[in-house]
Amino acid sequence: MPCAVLLASSFRATEPRYIDEATLSDAMYTAGMPDPDLLIRTAGEMRVSNFLLWQISYAELWVTEKCWPDFDRAELHAALRGYGDRERRFGGLKD
């Protein structure tokens, strides 16, 4: 069932004033799972293609030129090192 249909049926009996961030999160396919901290994008693509838009709002993005079949352990470690070097602000401004 498409996500839009699930969301519409989830909110059918709910007044708009009672719909909040938690209500939306609970209606997603990823309900109960933590939001990702890191999104790795392969093939040099500089877009997220509507992939987990709600869930990756505060995720760090890491782009590699390698295509998925060639993405290996060394590339994963490079992504994790790059992620570890970043200052996470979760939407806030740098002091």
Side-chain angles (χ1 to χ4, degrees), residues 15-81:
E15 292 183 43
R17 66 180 174 189
Y18 297 119
I19 299 173
D20 60 7
E21 183 178 343
T23 309
L24 288 172
S25 290
D26 290 344
M28 301 286 177
Y29 288 126
T30 56
M33 299 165 71
D35 291 340
D37 291 316
L38 175 64
L39 174 69
I40 299 172
R41 188 65 166 115
T42 57
E45 295 293 339
M46 299 299 284
R47 56 187 167 73
V48 293
S49 303
N50 288 335
F51 181 72
L52 297 176
L53 289 179
W54 180 267
Q55 298 88 338
I56 64 167
S57 58
Y58 292 113
E60 297 291 324
L61 304 179
W62 193 79
V63 178
T64 177
E65 291 296 323
K66 285 196 175 183
C67 293
W68 176 245
D70 301 320
F71 190 86
D72 56 11
R73 181 179 297 220
E75 196 72 16
L76 174 62
H77 287 180
L80 294 175
R81 278 191 306 275

